[in-house]
Each structure stands twice: as C-alpha cells, then as structure tokens.
Amino acid sequence: MSAPTLPRWADVVVLPLVNLAVALLISGAVMALIGQNPLEVLTLMAKGAFGSMRGFSYTLYYTTTFIFTGLAVAVAAHGGLFNIGAEGQATLGGLGAGIFALWLARDLPGFVMLPLIILASAGFGALWALVPAYLQAYRGSHIVITTIMFNFLAYTLLVYLLVNVLKAPGSMAVESAPFEPSAALPNAQEAFAWFGIEWPSSPLNLSFLLALAAAGLVYAYLWRTRAGYRLRTVGASAGAAEYAGIPPAHQILIAMAISGALAGMVGVNEIAGVNRRLLLDFVAGAGFTGIAVAMMGRNHPAGILLASLLFGALFQGGAEVGFEMPQFSREMVVTLQGFVILLSGAMAYVLAPTLARVIHALPGIAKRRPA
Amino acid sequence: MNDHTPIPATSREPGPPLAVRMAGIRKTFGPVRANDDVTLDVASGTVHALVGENGAGKSTLMSQLYGLYVPDAGTIEVFGKPAHLRSTHDAIAMGLGMVHQHFMLVDTLTALENVMLGAEPHALLLRAERMVRPRLQSLMESTGLRVDLDARVGDLPVGDRQRLEILKVLFRGAKVLILDEPTAVLTPQETQHLFGVLATLRSQGTTVILITHKLDEVMRLADRVTVMRAGRIVHECGVKDTSPAQLAEAMVGRKVNIGRPATTGVAPGEVVLDAKGLQVVDAMGVTRLHGIDLALRAGQIVGVAGVSGNGQSELLEVLSGLRTPRAGTLRLAGETFAPTRWLTPRTARRLRLAHVPEDRHARAMVMDFAAWESGILGYEGLLVYSGGGFLRRRRMREDTRDMMERFDVRPRQPELASGRFSGGNQQKLVLARELGQAPHVLVVGQPTRGVDIGAIEFIHGQLRKLREAGCAILLVSSELDEILALSDRVLVMNAGRITGERPVEACTEAELGLLMAHTEVHPEKAEAPA
C-alpha cells in the first residue's frame, strides 16, 4: 500500500464510472477514426436501450442472463476460486432444461413443470461445476484450467446430443422440437396481460424475477448465514479456515455447486423462457461477460445488478445501432462492448492509483478526513 | 509537535560527519499519522538503534529512507547530499542497504547466485560468477561474514541466510546498513556472532541503523539510540547515558514491568493433556518430531524453548488438531486420539482446548474480514453466534466490542478490517477470543511476536491469570526471556526432540542456549533420506 489508497466510496462508485467513461472515450475515438459521429452513435445506443418500452424490455432480457453469470462468478470468487466455466455450466443448464421439457412436459402441467425446469437447469449446472471442484479440492488440478476445458466439453456434449438424440426428426436445423406449452416460462407480455397491462413483445420473461431473487439469496447466503461465513473464510484465508476447523475442500465443493447452479439458470431464461426449444449457441459468451460483470460489480449482488443492467444496455443498444446505421457494422458494436469489458473487467484497477492521487490532491476531501 | 528531545548542537557540529539526515519527515496513511515531523541524524561509522513499540513508525521511517515510501513532507540527505528516493534503486545508488526481517532470498539458487541476482556484472552467468567470486571472498575475509557460496540457500541455516543478506547488501556498495529486527530468528550464540560482525563493520566505517525492540541489544551494541512513539521521536541519547528501564519507559510512555513475579502461584493440578510418542513426518519425508512425550497439568505453564524450525510448529499443529501425526497418542478430556482418528480443530474447541497460533496473519484471523467477523472465527458454530444457520450479527458485534474493551484493543472499532489493526492489537483480539471461551487447555505459539512492550506486559498478565484460573498452558516462544518469565517448567526442543527439561528455577539463559544449539546445526539435512 505504498500509493495513497482509494477510499471505499471511490472504489465502489467512482472507479467503475471512470472506467466506463474511459472505455466510451476510446470507443468514441475509434468511431471518429472510421468517420462516424460518436455522439450520434452513443445517443442512438442509449435510446435503443432505454428509449422505448420495447427496447427497455430487451435490455432487461439481456440483463437477466448477465445477473446469473455475474453472480456465478462472484460466489466462486468469494470462495477463492476463479470460475471461468460459467459458459459451460450455462450450456449444461440449458441442456438440463431441454431434456426435462422434452421428456416430461407432455404429461405434467406448467405449475409442476416450471419449478422442475428451474431445478433441472440449476442441478445440471451445479453437477457440471462439481467435477472441476472435486478435482481442485481433492486432486490438486487447477480450477481455472479445468473449467476452461469443461466449456469445450459442454459445447461438444450439447452438439452430440442435439445431432444424435434430441434433434426433431426430419428437421434440417440442429435444434429440438418446440416444447409443449407447459414447459414454456411466460414472457413479460403474457405475464402483464394477466393484470390487463399492455407490454410490448420481447424476449423478457419471468426468469428476470428469478434473477432478482437469486441476487437477494446470494447476498443473504454470503453475509447472513453461517455457511456463507465459512465459504468467505476459506476464500479469504485457507490457513485461517483450517485453524477454525472449516475444511477448505468442502467449501470448494459448495462454492462451485452454487456457482454452477446460478450459471445453469441461464438455461431457464434462454431455453425455457425465450427459445422454448433446445438449440446451439444460446449462451453466446454470456459466461465470459459474467466475469466482467462480477469484477465491475465488485462481487457484490447489488453491484452485479447494476453492472448487468449496464451490459444489458450495451448489448441491446448495440444491436439497435447496428440496425439503424447500416454503415456502422456489427463488429463496431462488438468493439465497443469489448472496450467496456476490457476496462471495467480485466483492467478494472489500472486507473486506481491515478484516481487515488487525484482524490488525495482535492483539498475539500482532505479536509473531510478525520485527523 | 516539538516534544521530542532536541538533539544537542554539540553532537552534530564537531563530531563525525552525518551519514543520514532525515528532517521534518511526515507520512500519513489515511487518517493515521505514521510519521509526524520526525528528524533523525545518524552519524557516520556508528551503530544507531531505532526502538519503539509496534506501530510507532520505525519501519515506516526506514521504508522512506530505503525508497519504499515517498514522504509527504520533509527532506532526506545521505552523506550530505540531498536524496530524492523514489525507489530502492535510488536508495542503493546512494549507498543505502536494507536487510528485511523476512529474508528476500531465492531458496533454489546458490548463495553466490543470490548475491549476484540483479547485479550481474556480465551477461554470461559463468563469466559473471568468475568476476564476482573473488570480490565476494575478499569481502567475507574482511568482514567475517562467512557463508558457503556454493550451497543452495534452501539448505542453509537461518544464521547463514542472514549473513548472506548482509553480504548481498554490502556487495552492492552499501555504506549504510539498515537492519530490521535482525535477531528475531537467531540463537543467542548466532546473535553474538552477528554483533561481532556488526562491530567489525563499524570499525571499518560502515554505518548501521538497527531497528529492534530488544533493549539489551541496544545496550550491548549501539552508540546512540532514538526512541519513537506514535509516529514521533520522544527520546534520543547516547547509549552510555541511558538504561533499559529508561528506554522502556520512553517507548511505552509509562513504567513497565516485564519479568518474573515473585511467586509462581498455585500448585499444579492433575494431568489434563497427555501426549505420548508423537511422531511427525512432513510432505518431503523429513521427520519433524521424533517421539515427543508431553504432559500438561492444570494451573501450569510449560514453556518450549528452541530455535525456530526445530519442531515447535509441528508440535503446536499436532496438539491443536491441525496436523495428524504418523504415530503417537493423545489423551484430552477423557478422550483418546490415535493417528487413525486424530483430533480436529473443531473437536479440540469442543473439548475446551484453545489455540493461539504462531502465524497470526495466515491463521488466527482473516485479514480482510471486519474485526467482528474475525472476533468469532472458529466459534461461528456456537449457538450464541448462529441460530438456524443464520449469523447472529448483533451478538457478534457486541461480543467483539466487549473483547476489545476487556483487552484494550485499539482502535475500538469492530467494523474496521482485521488487517488494519497493529500486530499487538490483533494479537490482543485473538487472545480475547480464545481466552473468552474459558479453555481448560491453551496451546499458544509466539504470543508476543511483533507485539510492542506495553502489550507484552498485558498479554503476559492475561496468561498468568489464566494459569491461576486452572488452565493448562503450553507456551512455545523463540524469546527466552518470555519462556523464563512465564513458565513453570521449561522444555528445550532441538531437531524434533526434547533435549532438556527442568523446572524454571533451575534454568539459566546460557545453559538453555547451549541446549537449543546442541548437536546438529541444521536438522533437516541430517535427517533427510539420502
């Protein structure tokens, strides 16, 4: 701690905003370089994400997935583990939802089917994460390596099962038959219609509420329960955990099981909520974006909700820009998202020392400190 | 601001030139003023001791001299030249060298390679070695710092490693040597040797700044002494003009009494912990404990003396359930344990065995946790702290505040992160937690390592009180003074064996020192399978 340290409020609020601003500045410079007006693009993005009910609804749909993966990465991080496998665990979660939907939905009503699908998604994700967890806890294989590998395995498994087992007979597309209605999670339009409220059609569905509940439960688990205390102890200091009589291996299994279950619930949103059939590529990198979300949200559920909303807006706004400005290619949107991920995820603390120095140089703040 | 003793002008003007002059140094960390208007003059060719409690600002001051921190205000001059030290490179270039408390050596390299590391005179290593070796040998010749240059550092005993650190610094041309608690890991005999070397270096013109909290070392070696308290200099004088009692009083700000009280207290009771034939073999296949027998009686403190690394840590771990021995039995509170089903830390707590671990940072608390979260570590399963799986956070906070009150932990802020407290205050909180459960057996390692004098007095008092309450205590310490001040019975460990045992009345420091050092110097080498 040789440089001045960042006050907590600055670490939690100012630094992420500064990172975001820098990312937008750099992206703006790149846009200007290829002859686009950055202000116009950004305005369009903001409008696309928040300017209409429909756009906002899409934003929340993307947000849902990022909440799940962001929480997944954060829970593992509190257990001292870097889970890069949210992508694969989400894939397995979708597979679980798909298998149960195709298998049982014909015979079971929705109020049984939907909880079952949620459990299947979470369970498949958790089991998939437990394998690397076991290898780390008892066999010393590094979880970063194994979870990366398991992403590929998950994808390959999904392709194999879809092509050979689950594909709808006679179809050319690599996807299953559509689910029975009892296995389809109501979307926002349907749900609001129950109360007589009109809502534009969008992929947003009830799993958004599930994501909010998950954020609340993760907070309660980590900071309000004895089990969460033990998990955080292991993550913060394995030596102290041993001393306290908390076997680190158990907590590794628990942390990864919860993490995998959270990631797996992406399947509820994408498979049961949106597509209502099993198909390929439904995770689309959300597992990796979850790492940036968790970092930007400082591994805290409240921060993760905000960061997920930001990334949701980026994805929805970006799609809108690509639609409205044909000369502004999809790749540019990806570039913009990439800069935000880079600066608020991978390089989140690069600007911290500079910011700390600036804050300490401000006379008003120095005066407020207790002597 | 100006309550430190002004340095008499006479000592500065005609005396030897100044090696280091730090004037008006100020350094703050957040709300903490680590150094507040500190002025320190060190005369060339002298040994200057810097003493003070933990958190008094000694290390901060020296870190600024060595370029690790940049002062907020004040100036530094080295040999009369203004120094703007932005990094350790700047400091080394000005002729400063620092030996840290924790050695900065690469275990897998040889002694010679460690000295060269970062200062290789040639791009080809073989050529570089050939250039370095003769220079190093003549340096060893002239200073008396002898080390086997071709031995791997991992195989060297602690005393050799420290000599190597000093060699490394001198090789880089240091004319001012800063030593941070250099004797913390040494036997009395090794300390004596080190002091001989330092005296030689002084006679050759090297300036030594010695950070320490052992006042007898100050009296034996130093020429001048500066006492710091709460970030300021409170006393400075020649060593001839002072006494340990006076220095201790200046450090703490009041009279202190660390020593053996006249009475030993109650008569020892029944045996509450009985260990037989404990044998520990580590992951490398090296035997760390060779059949240790040990019995602890209620109301008795058994002190284990020995140089660090002779099996004391393993003994603590086995008795607290952190490690399963290969052989041996343990009887505790009516239960018998064998290697197939050894004690676990949780069982140990249930059987009223408390453990204050040697390594406060790695074990006793979670540095990132708030104090109230560390304040119940290990006891989170108790009904008072969690019910129905949920933490009783208000109770945790209240109890931590209570512990802080009883053990005078400062600052009294349960919300502050554990790692932000000073070493002494961390230790007091750990002791408050472990003693608060009214244990029947206490296993404690290095209770006052890195703890300031005021806190040592307090901690010793608490341990004695616990003994009077009938607790059986096993005390492992590398401080002989501490062992002699607290124990009723003293064991000496060497190379995983108990090499001596006697009541404290029959102990002398010299004899214990010999028992600690006797036979082999480095056990791991002698024991390793060929």
Side-chain angles (χ1 to χ4, degrees):
Chain A
M1 291 199 285
S2 60
T5 47
L6 217 49
R8 193 169 152 69
W9 55 270
D11 180 34
V12 174
V13 180
V14 183
L15 186 61
L17 291 180
V18 169
N19 284 332
L20 182 62
V22 173
L24 292 181
L25 271 178
I26 297 176
S27 319
V30 175
M31 289 175 206
L33 214 61
I34 59 164
Q36 302 283 342
N37 180 353
L39 268 182
E40 199 187 326
V41 172
L42 287 180
T43 316
L44 209 57
M45 279 190 83
K47 265 198 197 143
F50 299 108
S52 66
M53 283 313 277
R54 194 178 150 277
F56 185 54
S57 199
Y58 265 85
T59 299
L60 289 183
Y61 148 68
Y62 287 114
T63 303
T64 306
T65 289
F66 296 143
I67 293 174
F68 284 130
T69 55
L71 289 173
V73 173
V75 169
H78 280 289
L81 301 162
F82 193 8
N83 178 13
I84 311 193
E87 190 80 11
Q89 291 141 21
T91 303
L92 260 284
L95 180 62
I99 288 175
F100 273 73
L102 293 169
W103 174 30
L104 296 172
R106 218 166 307 144
D107 311 318
L108 291 175
F111 68 87
V112 181
M113 202 55 225
L114 292 177
L116 206 59
I117 282 181
I118 293 172
L119 286 180
S121 295
F124 270 57
L127 285 176
W128 195 249
L130 272 172
V131 182
Y134 173 83
L135 293 174
Q136 160 102 22
Y138 295 103
R139 291 288 180 269
S141 315
H142 202 287
I143 200 131
V144 169
I145 310 291
T146 44
T147 50
I148 288 179
M149 306 283 216
F150 268 63
N151 287 337
F152 294 105
L153 292 181
Y155 185 73
T156 318
L157 181 65
L158 181 67
V159 170
Y160 174 84
L161 287 177
L162 263 179
V163 169
N164 294 292
V165 184
L166 299 170
K167 188 165 77 80
S171 162
M172 293 297 287
V174 185
E175 54 184 40
S176 74
F179 298 161
E180 299 291 325
S182 71
L185 197 65
N187 62 31
Q189 197 180 25
E190 293 160 356
F192 276 108
W194 299 336
F195 305 101
I197 300 168
E198 209 168 306
W199 189 268
S201 128
S202 74
L204 180 65
N205 58 70
L206 288 188
S207 60
F208 179 65
L209 300 179
L210 185 66
L212 293 183
L217 287 175
V218 164
Y219 170 78
Y221 180 78
L222 286 177
W223 282 282
R224 296 297 171 120
T225 70
R226 184 174 62 214
Y229 175 88
R230 289 181 171 155
L231 189 144
R232 286 186 298 123
T233 302
V234 168
S237 169
E242 279 176 25
Y243 163 75
I246 307 166
H250 294 182
Q251 297 301 322
I252 290 176
L253 296 185
I254 294 171
M256 282 307 286
I258 296 175
S259 178
L262 287 163
M265 282 194 272
V266 167
V268 180
N269 185 23
E270 302 287 350
I271 296 300
V274 182
N275 292 296
R276 298 178 177 181
R277 60 163 63 87
L278 189 59
L279 68 179
L280 292 175
D281 291 326
F282 59 89
V283 185
F288 298 115
T289 309
I291 298 171
V293 168
M295 279 184 165
M296 194 170 188
R298 296 289 182 274
N299 291 328
H300 192 285
I304 286 167
L305 290 183
L306 290 174
S308 300
L309 185 62
L310 170 74
F311 278 90
L314 274 177
F315 274 70
Q316 164 56 15
E320 202 72 7
V321 173
F323 190 69
E324 294 274 327
M325 301 174 69
Q327 70 276 33
F328 191 86
S329 65
R330 215 191 94 71
E331 279 67 32
M332 269 315 294
V333 177
V334 177
T335 307
L336 175 59
Q337 291 161 355
F339 276 123
V340 174
I341 293 178
L342 184 69
L343 274 139
S344 42
M347 291 165 52
Y349 283 95
V350 170
L351 292 171
T354 318
L355 184 63
R357 240 171 271 136
V358 170
I359 285 174
H360 279 259
L362 295 176
I365 289 161
K367 256 177 243 148
R368 276 219 319 262
R369 318 205 115 268
Chain B
M1 280 282 186
N2 294 320
D3 64 344
H4 61 83
T5 317
I7 301 131
T10 45
S11 78
R12 202 185 300 161
E13 300 305 334
L18 289 182
V20 171
R21 176 166 170 71
M22 304 179 82
I25 298 290
R26 184 173 314 133
K27 181 78 191 170
T28 56
F29 297 106
V32 181
R33 291 192 184 180
N35 284 162
D36 195 357
D37 194 24
V38 171
T39 294
L40 176 73
D41 289 347
V42 178
S44 179
T46 62
V47 174
H48 195 117
L50 189 57
V51 300
E53 296 191 297
N54 261 67
K58 303 167 297 200
S59 295
T60 306
L61 187 66
M62 286 301 112
S63 296
Q64 292 170 86
L65 181 57
Y66 197 50
L68 291 167
Y69 297 143
V70 178
D72 296 340
T75 57
I76 300 176
E77 287 174 23
V78 180
F79 293 111
K81 276 179 287 185
H84 302 285
L85 305 164
R86 300 266 145 198
S87 72
T88 54
H89 282 281
D90 297 345
I92 292 167
M94 300 288 295
L96 302 166
M98 183 157 179
V99 175
H100 298 269
Q101 200 173 352
H102 305 285
F103 298 148
M104 310 278 180
L105 296 167
V106 184
D107 279 357
T108 50
L109 297 182
T110 67
L112 183 69
E113 287 165 338
N114 265 289
V115 173
M116 283 203 313
L117 196 64
E120 301 88 345
H122 197 279
L124 295 176
L125 275 188
L126 215 63
R127 291 276 290 279
E129 269 188 38
R130 236 176 271 148
M131 292 158 82
V132 168
R133 191 182 294 272
R135 276 170 61 198
L136 209 47
Q137 261 153 356
S138 69
L139 192 62
M140 293 201 302
E141 216 55 58
S142 63
T143 57
L145 289 160
R146 261 170 254 281
V147 179
D148 177 2
L149 289 180
D150 297 309
R152 271 170 22 118
V153 163
D155 298 332
L156 290 176
V158 178
D160 279 17
R161 290 188 209 192
Q162 186 165 54
R163 283 193 278 282
L164 186 62
E165 281 277 18
I166 298 174
L167 265 182
K168 202 169 92 179
V169 166
L170 293 176
F171 182 77
R172 281 161 169 70
K175 293 192 282 292
V176 179
L177 197 60
I178 308 165
L179 299 171
D180 189 0
E181 304 276 0
T183 60
V185 291
L186 301 184
T187 62
Q189 283 79 3
E190 282 173 322
T191 301
Q192 190 131 26
H193 181 251
L194 174 69
F195 281 11
V197 168
L198 293 180
T200 310
L201 287 173
R202 169 172 56 188
S203 69
Q204 292 166 353
T206 303
T207 310
V208 178
I209 302 176
L210 184 70
I211 305 176
T212 184
H213 65 263
K214 296 183 187 169
L215 298 176
D216 62 314
E217 294 179 355
V218 175
M219 303 309 290
R220 267 161 71 192
L221 183 70
D223 301 299
R224 277 190 85 74
V225 54
T226 296
V227 183
M228 289 187 74
R229 187 171 75 230
R232 297 175 185 191
I233 289 182
V234 291
H235 188 70
E236 171 162 347
C237 63
V239 162
K240 285 187 204 74
D241 307 327
T242 189
S243 66
Q246 194 189 0
L247 290 176
E249 200 181 322
M251 277 165 69
V252 188
R254 60 190 164 81
K255 285 209 182 306
V256 289
N257 176 27
I258 301 167
R260 198 159 177 77
T263 54
T264 39
V266 290
E270 58 184 313
V271 172
V272 287
L273 179 148
D274 194 10
K276 286 216 159 57
L278 297 179
Q279 190 192 3
V280 165
V281 179
D282 70 11
M284 308 290 287
V286 179
T287 306
R288 293 289 177 184
L289 291 182
H290 297 266
I292 299 275
D293 296 329
L294 182 75
L296 299 181
R297 289 172 178 279
Q300 191 181 46
I301 299 181
V302 174
V304 178
V307 178
S308 300
N310 276 285
Q312 302 97 313
S313 307
E314 287 78 5
L315 182 63
L316 287 173
E317 288 178 357
V318 164
L319 294 181
S320 60
L322 281 166
R323 189 196 274 264
T324 302
R326 173 161 298 187
T329 58
L330 176 70
R331 280 200 320 106
L332 174 67
E335 294 195 30
T336 305
F337 298 92
T340 45
R341 194 189 71 91
W342 195 251
L343 186 72
T344 66
R346 233 175 251 190
T347 315
R349 284 191 180 84
R350 183 170 57 75
L351 299 176
R352 311 292 289 273
L353 182 146
H355 175 206
V356 175
E358 291 180 297
D359 194 333
R360 199 161 52 234
H361 290 268
R363 285 220 191 273
M365 20 176 52
V366 181
M367 292 299 158
D368 292 339
F369 278 14
W372 63 269
E373 291 182 294
S374 279
I376 60 130
L377 183 70
Y379 299 100
E380 72 278 355
L382 293 183
L383 204 58
V384 289
Y385 294 129
S386 61
F390 284 89
L391 292 174
R392 299 201 156 135
R393 310 203 313 166
R394 197 192 314 157
R395 181 62 188 267
M396 289 163 69
R397 286 195 172 91
E398 280 169 10
D399 280 11
T400 303
R401 197 181 298 277
D402 219 48
M403 289 180 213
M404 290 178 145
E405 206 60 54
R406 273 186 292 118
F407 278 66
D408 189 27
V409 177
R410 279 178 261 181
R412 294 229 203 321
Q413 291 176 15
E415 299 296 330
L416 195 65
S418 310
R420 302 287 287 270
F421 289 84
S422 74
N425 285 306
Q426 290 173 347
Q427 188 72 336
K428 282 194 274 189
L429 186 58
V430 172
L431 277 161
R433 179 184 73 206
E434 297 305 320
L435 270 47
Q437 302 297 327
H440 295 161
V441 181
L442 176 71
V443 176
V444 48
Q446 317 295 354
T448 57
R449 175 182 282 171
V451 168
D452 51 66
I453 287 206
I456 291 177
E457 188 190 19
F458 179 84
I459 289 170
H460 283 184
Q462 290 296 327
L463 291 176
R464 289 196 186 102
K465 224 196 268 173
L466 190 68
R467 167 181 59 189
E468 261 135 55
C471 183
I473 302 178
L474 181 76
L475 165 74
V476 168
S477 174
S478 52
E479 302 284 340
L480 264 186
D481 293 345
E482 180 162 80
I483 299 268
L484 293 174
L486 287 175
S487 312
D488 301 297
R489 203 151 57 88
V490 179
L491 306 178
V492 181
M493 277 189 79
N494 184 293
R497 290 191 172 84
I498 291 176
T499 51
E501 170 171 2
R502 56 209 65 199
V504 70
E505 297 83 9
C507 293
T508 66
E509 193 157 334
E511 187 204 16
L512 290 181
L514 284 174
L515 282 172
M516 281 158 66
H518 103 133
T519 59
E520 305 111 352
V521 187
H522 28 154
E524 60 268 56
K525 237 180 158 179
E527 303 293 338

